[in-house]
Amino acid sequence: MDKIHSHRQVAAIKHSLFDQGYLDEQFIQLEELQDDANPNFVEEIVTLYYRDSSRLISNLDHTLERNPLDFNKLDTLMHQFKGSSSSIGAKRVKAECTLFREYCRARNGEGCRRSFQQMKKEYATLRKKLETYFQLARQAGPLETAYRPK
Amino acid sequence: MALETRFHVLAVDDSLIDRMLIERLLKTSSFNVTTVDSATKALKFLGLVEDELRTFETSVASEIHQDVDVNLIITDYCMPGMTGYDLLRKIKESKSLKNIPVVIMSSENVPSRINRCLEEGAEEFFLKPVQQADVNKLKPHLMKSRNKGDQDQEQEQDQHFHNKRKDMEAISSPNKTRLKCSS
């Protein structure tokens, strides 16, 4: 009974992550790459994503402190962040990255700063939810097939 | 009939996450995979070493190439330093490497970029994030190279390129590439 409950919990979290637009189809693609030989692929790649993101966020923070702003550098950094976010299916984070880059191209420093704050919030929320998700998934034991959101 | 050995794919991408992803995708399709994080390293791996005084093609490089057996190169377009496009050109300009199929990946859907790559000889252009369906398109290109004919082969590729070109022209949009790529 406990097992079923745990699995239901995990499924519910995943469902809400998709419903609320935190994750997109790409996350499902990652899950489909998991198999017996690579049972932790999704968590591994997401962990790499956290590491990479921390580095990029730190870089962006420093670059945003400069005066005048180096918009080309900001755009390059955000291009990288957008790319990795896209690769793991981080839909909301990716959208904020896109917005940030638009501000970069418009040479709008204030817009960049605001967008960056928003992006950090989205990233922090996603990370927290995913950490919970993986923790519960591990506790629940091996999941069967990937859940497909409607 | 010779034994079916696994195809060896060289994947080039400066993003750690994307390298991990493409490696997993390729291995799922039973390819042997080598990943590198820059075009320069890719060229070194392929046996083309830059000489300041002349172009990449040297007789020494050709000899080195004997030991490297790469059946397909898949590369990101936007990379710091040498781009995937530059890498594509170097490969196509090389006597020893020009017959290796090259596939370009990019996060941005820019028709002029896509056209340029296909014109330069890229077999395919994948939009990121790359998915299993994309990787499934690779085997035909590899089988073609393996069972190399010549005239028929080239004709086939021309037709393929011609069809691809037509598809690309159907995408109508102004293409503004602000910078060379996005860096």
Side-chain angles (χ1 to χ4, degrees):
Chain A
M1 217 44 193
D2 265 339
K3 264 275 182 211
I4 295 172
H5 177 70
S6 302
H7 278 286
R8 282 223 187 105
Q9 246 190 321
V10 174
I13 292 180
K14 192 164 24 166
H15 195 151
S16 90
L17 281 167
F18 282 98
D19 266 357
Q20 291 167 27
Y22 286 101
L23 294 176
D24 63 28
E25 159 73 19
Q26 179 60 18
F27 193 80
I28 307 270
Q29 292 281 324
L30 295 182
E31 288 184 321
E32 285 177 357
L33 289 171
Q34 229 163 231
D35 57 21
D36 290 336
N38 301 269
N40 303 308
F41 174 71
V42 186
E43 201 176 350
E44 282 165 12
I45 200 170
V46 169
T47 304
L48 254 186
Y49 172 68
Y50 298 153
R51 227 195 314 153
D52 205 47
S53 301
S54 297
R55 175 185 62 87
L56 285 166
I57 287 174
S58 174
N59 243 321
L60 281 157
D61 256 322
H62 289 136
T63 312
L64 278 166
E65 276 166 17
R66 294 209 205 128
N67 204 354
L69 288 176
D70 183 347
F71 287 107
N72 287 338
K73 177 150 190 211
L74 288 170
D75 190 54
T76 301
L77 287 169
M78 200 48 96
H79 169 77
Q80 288 177 45
F81 201 168
K82 184 182 168 185
S84 53
S85 300
S86 169
S87 292
I88 66 138
K91 191 175 176 185
R92 281 200 185 184
V93 174
K94 181 170 128 178
E96 284 306 325
C97 293
T98 302
L99 192 55
F100 181 95
R101 295 185 74 199
E102 280 168 21
Y103 283 125
C104 274
R105 284 161 198 193
R107 274 24 188 179
N108 182 342
E110 196 40 52
C112 282
R113 290 196 179 90
R114 260 184 298 132
S115 168
F116 183 56
Q117 292 311 315
Q118 190 55 30
M119 194 224 69
K120 279 197 285 189
K121 274 195 204 138
E122 292 291 355
Y123 170 75
T125 305
L126 173 67
R127 180 165 174 168
K128 192 144 171 261
K129 286 178 187 276
L130 281 175
E131 278 169 351
T132 306
Y133 169 73
F134 284 121
Q135 191 175 29
L136 281 173
R138 251 180 282 128
Q139 284 168 11
L143 294 171
E144 326 77 55
T145 48
Y147 174 81
R148 266 184 167 64
K150 299 265 157 29
Chain B
M1 248 322 194
L3 270 177
E4 280 270 7
T5 46
R6 285 185 159 207
F7 290 117
H8 181 195
V9 178
L10 175 65
V12 191
D13 201 317
D14 62 312
S15 158
L16 182 54
I17 281 113
D18 287 347
R19 279 201 303 282
M20 186 170 172
L21 179 55
I22 194 70
E23 182 175 24
R24 187 78 208 100
L25 280 165
L26 291 167
K27 283 185 171 167
T28 300
S29 297
S30 302
F31 295 124
N32 283 339
V33 187
T34 299
T35 61
V36 293
D37 65 9
S38 74
T40 314
K41 286 190 187 153
L43 288 170
K44 281 211 183 96
F45 184 81
L46 292 162
L48 289 188
V49 178
E50 179 145 38
D51 186 321
E52 280 177 347
L53 303 174
R54 43 191 176 180
T55 61
F56 276 58
E57 189 59 37
T58 67
S59 56
V60 174
S62 304
E63 281 169 43
I64 297 170
H65 174 63
Q66 300 300 324
D67 300 310
V68 173
D69 198 12
V70 170
N71 305 115
L72 183 136
I73 297 155
I74 182 164
T75 177
D76 189 25
Y77 182 93
C78 231
M79 295 186 289
M82 198 186 296
T83 66
Y85 176 73
D86 298 327
L87 175 62
L88 166 67
R89 284 186 63 201
K90 297 260 185 260
I91 289 164
K92 293 304 169 187
E93 283 165 8
S94 155
K95 278 193 216 97
S96 54
L97 302 176
K98 68 178 181 185
N99 289 320
I100 302 178
V102 180
V103 170
I104 309 281
M105 308 178 277
S106 177
S107 54
E108 284 160 330
N109 189 350
V110 181
S112 63
R113 176 184 294 185
I114 297 171
N115 272 328
R116 210 183 321 133
C117 289
L118 296 174
E119 277 170 15
E120 201 58 45
E123 304 290 333
E124 297 272 358
F125 189 102
F126 294 158
L127 278 178
K128 283 181 161 186
V130 177
Q131 301 186 339
Q132 197 62 60
D134 298 311
V135 173
N136 293 342
K137 293 181 192 167
L138 296 178
K139 278 242 165 81
H141 295 294
L142 286 158
M143 295 309 297
K144 256 197 303 190
S145 295
R146 178 155 280 183
N147 311 319
K148 242 193 315 206
D150 13 33
Q151 295 297 71
D152 294 324
Q153 210 53 49
E154 279 170 27
Q155 272 173 21
E156 240 173 75
Q157 282 167 358
D158 285 342
Q159 188 57 45
H160 178 255
F161 164 69
H162 176 69
N163 291 338
K164 265 234 139 27
R165 234 214 127 145
K166 278 170 68 180
D167 291 339
M168 289 305 147
E169 276 162 5
I171 302 168
S172 62
S173 64
N175 33 64
K176 286 191 188 149
T177 26
R178 289 163 202 83
L179 307 160
K180 185 164 75 157
C181 57
S182 291
S183 48

